[in-house]
Amino acid sequence: MLSQVYRSGSQSFNHLLPWVKSTAVSRSLFSADTTWLFVCGAEDRTWAACLPDRVQPSAIRHVRYWSNIPFITVPLSRTHGKSFAHRSELKHAKRIVVKLGSAVVTRGDECGLALGRLASIVEQVSVLQNQGREMILVTSGAVAFGKQRLRHEILLSQSVRQALHSGQNQLKEMAIPVLEARACAAAGQSGLMALYEAMFTQYSICAAQILVTNLDFHDEQKRRNLNGTLHELLRMNIVPIVNTNDAVVPPAEPNSDLQGVNVISVKDNDSLAARLAVEMKTDLLIVLSDVEGLFDSPPGSDDAKLIDIFYPGDQQSVTFGTKSRVGMGGMEAKVKAALWALQGGTSVVIANGTHPKVSGHVITDIVEGKKVGTFFSEVKPAGPTVEQQGEMARSGGRMLATLEPEQRAEIIHHLADLLTDQRDEILLANKKDLEEAEGRLAAPLLKRLSLSTSKLNSLAIGLRQIAASSQDSVGRVLRRTRIAKNLELEQVTVPIGVLLVIFESRPDCLPQVAALAIASGNGLLLKGGKEAAHSNRILHLLTQEALSIHGVKEAVQLVNTREEVEDLCRLDKLIDLIIPRGSSQLVRDIQKAAKGIPVMGHSEGICHLYVDSEASVDKVTRLVRDSKCEYPAACNALETLLIHRDLLRTPLFDQIIDMLRVEQVKIHAGPKFASYLTFSPSEVKSLRTEYGDLELCIEVVDSVQEAIDHIHKYGSSHTDVIVTENENTAEFFLQHVDSACVFWNASTRFSDGYRFGLGAEVGISTSRIHARGPVGLEGLLTTKWLLRGQDHVVSDFSEHGSLKYLHENLPIPQRNTN
């Protein structure tokens, strides 16, 4: 963006003014982390006209000119001095140091550079630079690049005569002498820099090389010179590329410093990056190596877990392995350097820069606040991390599954009682949410957010239904088979494991889902929308109070940390199933972000109601009104009304239109419907639209088959209805429509777990595997096989064995559910 303005220096100021003042440019150039802007041809204070309305000229500190291009400086949103407390704040980082370890820069054979990896890193640094950030690169690689060049020169310098005389076989076995590192560095520095310059040029960015040694930081004059040079380069939008001057640096000595803010030796690029980050008052230091970050035990061991956040004082809990295959610093040196930088006010992330699946976006992911690598923070969270909550949910869920059915039912009954007993406290918390959401949320979302006495009473009734059905859920025998004499097999129901339920603007969802998880013996992680924070908090406390009566309080966890949904979807070792409940966009985002974790749900609720030529006049208006107007924001609300062509210009059609007008429903005409009208309503933009409001698409079809074809083409396999008095037509529709719920003469709004008698639902699934339609208790169970034998081995059933397979079906014992 900035380079585009710079290249257009010959254009007039007036020509650029509309472009600069555009909303998109204003948002990108004058974001919270932008400090200056190129403006071409501006003289005196005419540059003030370029400022968007929200940035006043009086807020500009001063204008610096480079040639005829002024640099407009906008006040920073953050002053340096204290590191960021949370990953989510990293997007505000203005000045960033990226340290590339030797293992990141070099190839696996240590002779040459990993060009593809370097190109990807340069691209990411360029993207951030062009966002208005100030990027500094601390790079290794000179020794490896020089080693490659010197090896090549040594081979070429061999006498051709000597090579011919020695014979081909001996030539292949010629040993390359051990190359001294400082000589390799001297030979590789120029080539390395030339490579960086060529790569950055592709993004219209200038780079400059700076070689330093320990003396440059300990000599006060040299230190000031270095500081001034770096600041001037950053001011001119140049990326400084810094490296230790390995051609003259003395051999590394045992480390005795790194103990405080005032002293650190530049003995490798880790310490250099840390020293540079503090000297330049940078906001963020990204250290890229060949491991994902810090682990609580040696990486690669069975029980090794990546440490998401590392706090000062946690060094004792970490076991350091050997250093990487190349380079001078190991992980212990990186941690010490990182802690030193953290004490100096710079946030630090150590991450993997070599993994082919993540190296292409690792730097930008870190700056966006995503969970990548290990984040160093001085602020410990008040509660457990989401990983710890996941472990607690799994442990608590396993204990929950071992309870007797009566005990699980007792917990749910107690929760139902608490919803009515603590009604005033719940409604007070919900009132706070509604007051804070006023003016920020649309009316349909405010309706979802609102709780009432009647809603709480309905919730309590639904929970008691779940308690009754939970008596015969976990451990139910589905099949018994006698494999052979004294060898019997059973298939029984068991919990899925740990569920992650993500929901928006629906606090009533929390007790419903919690009750279903309790009844099915599943651990549960809940992530609610911040708009319902007060309501969710009290409902979760009541849920844990109910769980406490049988000592399984930790089975249901409410995620209150600043975890992004995308980060939660990556916890494949902690979560077994994700169930999103919210907008279609939320569901799509989760389905896209989930890595290795199945997602149960529906991305859209495009429900159809087909009015057949033999439909009853009285039934049609009632069904359409209830399906569309009773709760238009629900996923089971009607979105497309299909009308048989023969009904056009009939009293029945007029009654439908009159009713929709009375209910203030905005009508969108489908292409075919619009063709029949002289003055039609606004033509629909897409027949595949979920309005979620008092809006409805009307389309005309010629037959029940055309209605079915339309539903299959534009529907979402959620809920579809036929209204007709012809039983044969209705059965044809019921059998041929391939949706999760298909109704005859009934409102689409019946597609609900409570109305189906399931007590409640975790959502409505349109997938075809495991569960479909409203997902209640049964949808949260899976099975396992139990085989009971007496010293049975497979070899006994071979051709010459003593036993034969029987495979007899055995009766299933009936459990007492009273």
Side-chain angles (χ1 to χ4, degrees), residues 737-765:
V737 172
D738 187 15
S739 296
C741 301
V742 189
F743 302 159
W744 172 25
N745 289 347
S747 169
T748 61
R749 298 278 289 120
F750 277 104
S751 182
D752 176 83
Y754 172 72
R755 297 182 181 109
F756 276 15
L758 305 178
E761 65 185 33
V762 293
I764 296 179
S765 173

mmCIF file of all heavy atoms in Angstrom, residues 737-765:
data_model
loop_
_atom_site.group_PDB
_atom_site.id
_atom_site.type_symbol
_atom_site.label_atom_id
_atom_site.label_comp_id
_atom_site.label_asym_id
_atom_site.label_seq_id
_atom_site.Cartn_x
_atom_site.Cartn_y
_atom_site.Cartn_z
ATOM 1 N N VAL A 737 -37.747 -36.001 -0.410
ATOM 2 C CA VAL A 737 -36.943 -34.852 0.035
ATOM 3 C C VAL A 737 -35.840 -35.347 0.961
ATOM 4 O O VAL A 737 -36.106 -35.985 1.981
ATOM 5 C CB VAL A 737 -37.809 -33.796 0.738
ATOM 6 C CG1 VAL A 737 -36.923 -32.720 1.367
ATOM 7 C CG2 VAL A 737 -38.766 -33.159 -0.249
ATOM 8 N N ASP A 738 -34.599 -35.039 0.602
ATOM 9 C CA ASP A 738 -33.441 -35.547 1.340
ATOM 10 C C ASP A 738 -32.951 -34.488 2.338
ATOM 11 O O ASP A 738 -31.912 -33.869 2.156
ATOM 12 C CB ASP A 738 -32.330 -35.906 0.351
ATOM 13 C CG ASP A 738 -31.159 -36.593 1.043
ATOM 14 O OD1 ASP A 738 -31.328 -37.044 2.188
ATOM 15 O OD2 ASP A 738 -30.074 -36.673 0.422
ATOM 16 N N SER A 739 -33.732 -34.276 3.386
ATOM 17 C CA SER A 739 -33.369 -33.319 4.432
ATOM 18 C C SER A 739 -33.419 -34.000 5.788
ATOM 19 O O SER A 739 -33.982 -35.090 5.930
ATOM 20 C CB SER A 739 -34.322 -32.108 4.417
ATOM 21 O OG SER A 739 -34.201 -31.394 3.209
ATOM 22 N N ALA A 740 -32.834 -33.336 6.789
ATOM 23 C CA ALA A 740 -32.805 -33.920 8.133
ATOM 24 C C ALA A 740 -34.207 -34.036 8.710
ATOM 25 O O ALA A 740 -34.521 -34.989 9.421
ATOM 26 C CB ALA A 740 -31.921 -33.073 9.046
ATOM 27 N N CYS A 741 -35.081 -33.051 8.418
ATOM 28 C CA CYS A 741 -36.460 -33.061 8.908
ATOM 29 C C CYS A 741 -37.408 -32.739 7.747
ATOM 30 O O CYS A 741 -37.225 -31.714 7.074
ATOM 31 C CB CYS A 741 -36.653 -32.026 10.026
ATOM 32 S SG CYS A 741 -35.586 -32.284 11.464
ATOM 33 N N VAL A 742 -38.403 -33.595 7.529
ATOM 34 C CA VAL A 742 -39.378 -33.390 6.452
ATOM 35 C C VAL A 742 -40.777 -33.558 7.058
ATOM 36 O O VAL A 742 -41.079 -34.603 7.641
ATOM 37 C CB VAL A 742 -39.162 -34.390 5.297
ATOM 38 C CG1 VAL A 742 -40.049 -34.012 4.116
ATOM 39 C CG2 VAL A 742 -37.699 -34.431 4.864
ATOM 40 N N PHE A 743 -41.617 -32.527 6.939
ATOM 41 C CA PHE A 743 -42.908 -32.502 7.617
ATOM 42 C C PHE A 743 -44.066 -32.413 6.603
ATOM 43 O O PHE A 743 -43.901 -31.888 5.499
ATOM 44 C CB PHE A 743 -43.009 -31.296 8.562
ATOM 45 C CG PHE A 743 -41.938 -31.246 9.630
ATOM 46 C CD1 PHE A 743 -41.645 -30.027 10.255
ATOM 47 C CD2 PHE A 743 -41.230 -32.371 10.019
ATOM 48 C CE1 PHE A 743 -40.675 -29.947 11.243
ATOM 49 C CE2 PHE A 743 -40.261 -32.299 11.014
ATOM 50 C CZ PHE A 743 -39.973 -31.083 11.614
ATOM 51 N N TRP A 744 -45.224 -32.865 7.062
ATOM 52 C CA TRP A 744 -46.473 -32.747 6.300
ATOM 53 C C TRP A 744 -47.485 -32.003 7.170
ATOM 54 O O TRP A 744 -47.810 -32.442 8.269
ATOM 55 C CB TRP A 744 -46.970 -34.144 5.919
ATOM 56 C CG TRP A 744 -48.337 -34.190 5.292
ATOM 57 C CD1 TRP A 744 -48.968 -33.187 4.614
ATOM 58 C CD2 TRP A 744 -49.247 -35.302 5.278
ATOM 59 N NE1 TRP A 744 -50.193 -33.581 4.170
ATOM 60 C CE2 TRP A 744 -50.405 -34.889 4.557
ATOM 61 C CE3 TRP A 744 -49.205 -36.595 5.775
ATOM 62 C CZ2 TRP A 744 -51.499 -35.748 4.353
ATOM 63 C CZ3 TRP A 744 -50.286 -37.435 5.562
ATOM 64 C CH2 TRP A 744 -51.412 -37.018 4.851
ATOM 65 N N ASN A 745 -47.937 -30.880 6.660
ATOM 66 C CA ASN A 745 -48.933 -30.063 7.357
ATOM 67 C C ASN A 745 -48.516 -29.716 8.791
ATOM 68 O O ASN A 745 -49.303 -29.813 9.733
ATOM 69 C CB ASN A 745 -50.304 -30.758 7.365
ATOM 70 C CG ASN A 745 -50.956 -30.786 5.994
ATOM 71 O OD1 ASN A 745 -50.515 -30.096 5.077
ATOM 72 N ND2 ASN A 745 -52.006 -31.590 5.840
ATOM 73 N N ALA A 746 -47.272 -29.340 8.945
ATOM 74 C CA ALA A 746 -46.772 -28.930 10.264
ATOM 75 C C ALA A 746 -45.732 -27.828 10.059
ATOM 76 O O ALA A 746 -45.023 -27.790 9.055
ATOM 77 C CB ALA A 746 -46.142 -30.109 11.003
ATOM 78 N N SER A 747 -45.642 -26.948 11.036
ATOM 79 C CA SER A 747 -44.728 -25.811 10.953
ATOM 80 C C SER A 747 -43.267 -26.254 10.975
ATOM 81 O O SER A 747 -42.909 -27.237 11.653
ATOM 82 C CB SER A 747 -44.994 -24.857 12.128
ATOM 83 O OG SER A 747 -43.983 -23.890 12.242
ATOM 84 N N THR A 748 -42.425 -25.511 10.255
ATOM 85 C CA THR A 748 -40.984 -25.794 10.300
ATOM 86 C C THR A 748 -40.427 -25.643 11.701
ATOM 87 O O THR A 748 -39.393 -26.229 12.027
ATOM 88 C CB THR A 748 -40.215 -24.826 9.375
ATOM 89 O OG1 THR A 748 -40.429 -23.474 9.818
ATOM 90 C CG2 THR A 748 -40.665 -24.957 7.935
ATOM 91 N N ARG A 749 -41.110 -24.872 12.556
ATOM 92 C CA ARG A 749 -40.606 -24.581 13.895
ATOM 93 C C ARG A 749 -40.641 -25.803 14.821
ATOM 94 O O ARG A 749 -40.094 -25.767 15.908
ATOM 95 C CB ARG A 749 -41.412 -23.444 14.518
ATOM 96 C CG ARG A 749 -41.309 -22.138 13.759
ATOM 97 C CD ARG A 749 -40.030 -21.376 14.115
ATOM 98 N NE ARG A 749 -40.132 -20.864 15.464
ATOM 99 C CZ ARG A 749 -39.311 -21.166 16.456
ATOM 100 N NH1 ARG A 749 -38.286 -21.984 16.238
ATOM 101 N NH2 ARG A 749 -39.484 -20.681 17.657
ATOM 102 N N PHE A 750 -41.283 -26.898 14.365
ATOM 103 C CA PHE A 750 -41.276 -28.117 15.173
ATOM 104 C C PHE A 750 -39.915 -28.812 15.153
ATOM 105 O O PHE A 750 -39.687 -29.747 15.919
ATOM 106 C CB PHE A 750 -42.362 -29.095 14.702
ATOM 107 C CG PHE A 750 -43.723 -28.793 15.264
ATOM 108 C CD1 PHE A 750 -44.687 -28.196 14.474
ATOM 109 C CD2 PHE A 750 -44.020 -29.085 16.588
ATOM 110 C CE1 PHE A 750 -45.935 -27.895 14.974
ATOM 111 C CE2 PHE A 750 -45.269 -28.795 17.105
ATOM 112 C CZ PHE A 750 -46.243 -28.187 16.301
ATOM 113 N N SER A 751 -39.040 -28.371 14.270
ATOM 114 C CA SER A 751 -37.712 -28.978 14.188
ATOM 115 C C SER A 751 -36.881 -28.501 15.376
ATOM 116 O O SER A 751 -36.077 -27.576 15.277
ATOM 117 C CB SER A 751 -37.035 -28.586 12.864
ATOM 118 O OG SER A 751 -35.777 -29.204 12.758
ATOM 119 N N ASP A 752 -37.063 -29.150 16.500
ATOM 120 C CA ASP A 752 -36.449 -28.703 17.757
ATOM 121 C C ASP A 752 -36.406 -29.883 18.723
ATOM 122 O O ASP A 752 -37.373 -30.655 18.813
ATOM 123 C CB ASP A 752 -37.276 -27.546 18.345
ATOM 124 C CG ASP A 752 -36.778 -27.087 19.690
ATOM 125 O OD1 ASP A 752 -35.828 -26.289 19.728
ATOM 126 O OD2 ASP A 752 -37.326 -27.539 20.704
ATOM 127 N N GLY A 753 -35.305 -29.997 19.456
ATOM 128 C CA GLY A 753 -35.155 -31.120 20.366
ATOM 129 C C GLY A 753 -36.189 -31.165 21.463
ATOM 130 O O GLY A 753 -36.712 -32.229 21.809
ATOM 131 N N TYR A 754 -36.535 -30.013 22.015
ATOM 132 C CA TYR A 754 -37.547 -29.966 23.083
ATOM 133 C C TYR A 754 -38.907 -30.387 22.539
ATOM 134 O O TYR A 754 -39.616 -31.188 23.154
ATOM 135 C CB TYR A 754 -37.606 -28.552 23.659
ATOM 136 C CG TYR A 754 -38.742 -28.341 24.645
ATOM 137 C CD1 TYR A 754 -38.704 -28.918 25.916
ATOM 138 C CD2 TYR A 754 -39.851 -27.578 24.292
ATOM 139 C CE1 TYR A 754 -39.748 -28.732 26.815
ATOM 140 C CE2 TYR A 754 -40.900 -27.383 25.184
ATOM 141 C CZ TYR A 754 -40.837 -27.957 26.439
ATOM 142 O OH TYR A 754 -41.858 -27.777 27.326
ATOM 143 N N ARG A 755 -39.272 -29.883 21.354
ATOM 144 C CA ARG A 755 -40.575 -30.217 20.770
ATOM 145 C C ARG A 755 -40.627 -31.671 20.302
ATOM 146 O O ARG A 755 -41.701 -32.250 20.206
ATOM 147 C CB ARG A 755 -40.882 -29.256 19.621
ATOM 148 C CG ARG A 755 -40.992 -27.805 20.095
ATOM 149 C CD ARG A 755 -41.332 -26.838 18.979
ATOM 150 N NE ARG A 755 -41.393 -25.479 19.510
ATOM 151 C CZ ARG A 755 -40.506 -24.532 19.256
ATOM 152 N NH1 ARG A 755 -39.490 -24.787 18.441
ATOM 153 N NH2 ARG A 755 -40.623 -23.334 19.796
ATOM 154 N N PHE A 756 -39.474 -32.247 19.996
ATOM 155 C CA PHE A 756 -39.414 -33.668 19.629
ATOM 156 C C PHE A 756 -39.483 -34.572 20.860
ATOM 157 O O PHE A 756 -39.552 -35.788 20.718
ATOM 158 C CB PHE A 756 -38.102 -33.953 18.881
ATOM 159 C CG PHE A 756 -38.161 -33.642 17.395
ATOM 160 C CD1 PHE A 756 -39.176 -32.872 16.858
ATOM 161 C CD2 PHE A 756 -37.191 -34.128 16.546
ATOM 162 C CE1 PHE A 756 -39.219 -32.582 15.504
ATOM 163 C CE2 PHE A 756 -37.231 -33.841 15.182
ATOM 164 C CZ PHE A 756 -38.244 -33.068 14.662
ATOM 165 N N GLY A 757 -39.434 -33.991 22.045
ATOM 166 C CA GLY A 757 -39.446 -34.794 23.265
ATOM 167 C C GLY A 757 -38.072 -35.246 23.695
ATOM 168 O O GLY A 757 -37.934 -36.140 24.545
ATOM 169 N N LEU A 758 -37.023 -34.622 23.122
ATOM 170 C CA LEU A 758 -35.653 -34.985 23.497
ATOM 171 C C LEU A 758 -35.201 -34.243 24.749
ATOM 172 O O LEU A 758 -34.108 -34.476 25.248
ATOM 173 C CB LEU A 758 -34.685 -34.658 22.346
ATOM 174 C CG LEU A 758 -35.018 -35.268 20.975
ATOM 175 C CD1 LEU A 758 -33.994 -34.822 19.944
ATOM 176 C CD2 LEU A 758 -35.067 -36.782 21.063
ATOM 177 N N GLY A 759 -36.045 -33.330 25.251
ATOM 178 C CA GLY A 759 -35.680 -32.536 26.417
ATOM 179 C C GLY A 759 -35.000 -31.250 26.006
ATOM 180 O O GLY A 759 -35.362 -30.171 26.437
ATOM 181 N N ALA A 760 -34.001 -31.372 25.186
ATOM 182 C CA ALA A 760 -33.261 -30.226 24.640
ATOM 183 C C ALA A 760 -32.391 -30.761 23.520
ATOM 184 O O ALA A 760 -32.409 -31.954 23.208
ATOM 185 C CB ALA A 760 -32.423 -29.550 25.719
ATOM 186 N N GLU A 761 -31.651 -29.868 22.918
ATOM 187 C CA GLU A 761 -30.759 -30.275 21.842
ATOM 188 C C GLU A 761 -29.466 -29.496 21.941
ATOM 189 O O GLU A 761 -29.431 -28.396 22.494
ATOM 190 C CB GLU A 761 -31.408 -30.002 20.476
ATOM 191 C CG GLU A 761 -31.612 -28.506 20.237
ATOM 192 C CD GLU A 761 -32.344 -28.189 18.960
ATOM 193 O OE1 GLU A 761 -33.203 -28.984 18.560
ATOM 194 O OE2 GLU A 761 -32.063 -27.121 18.386
ATOM 195 N N VAL A 762 -28.388 -30.073 21.430
ATOM 196 C CA VAL A 762 -27.141 -29.321 21.331
ATOM 197 C C VAL A 762 -27.072 -28.588 20.001
ATOM 198 O O VAL A 762 -26.184 -27.774 19.772
ATOM 199 C CB VAL A 762 -25.906 -30.239 21.479
ATOM 200 C CG1 VAL A 762 -25.828 -30.807 22.872
ATOM 201 C CG2 VAL A 762 -25.919 -31.337 20.429
ATOM 202 N N GLY A 763 -28.012 -28.865 19.131
ATOM 203 C CA GLY A 763 -28.039 -28.222 17.827
ATOM 204 C C GLY A 763 -28.756 -29.122 16.838
ATOM 205 O O GLY A 763 -29.227 -30.211 17.188
ATOM 206 N N ILE A 764 -28.856 -28.636 15.620
ATOM 207 C CA ILE A 764 -29.475 -29.414 14.545
ATOM 208 C C ILE A 764 -28.401 -29.725 13.517
ATOM 209 O O ILE A 764 -27.740 -28.821 13.001
ATOM 210 C CB ILE A 764 -30.639 -28.649 13.908
ATOM 211 C CG1 ILE A 764 -31.749 -28.446 14.947
ATOM 212 C CG2 ILE A 764 -31.175 -29.395 12.698
ATOM 213 C CD1 ILE A 764 -32.947 -27.684 14.442
ATOM 214 N N SER A 765 -28.235 -30.989 13.248
ATOM 215 C CA SER A 765 -27.180 -31.425 12.340
ATOM 216 C C SER A 765 -27.759 -31.739 10.968
ATOM 217 O O SER A 765 -28.796 -32.406 10.861
ATOM 218 C CB SER A 765 -26.474 -32.664 12.905
ATOM 219 O OG SER A 765 -25.566 -33.192 11.960
#
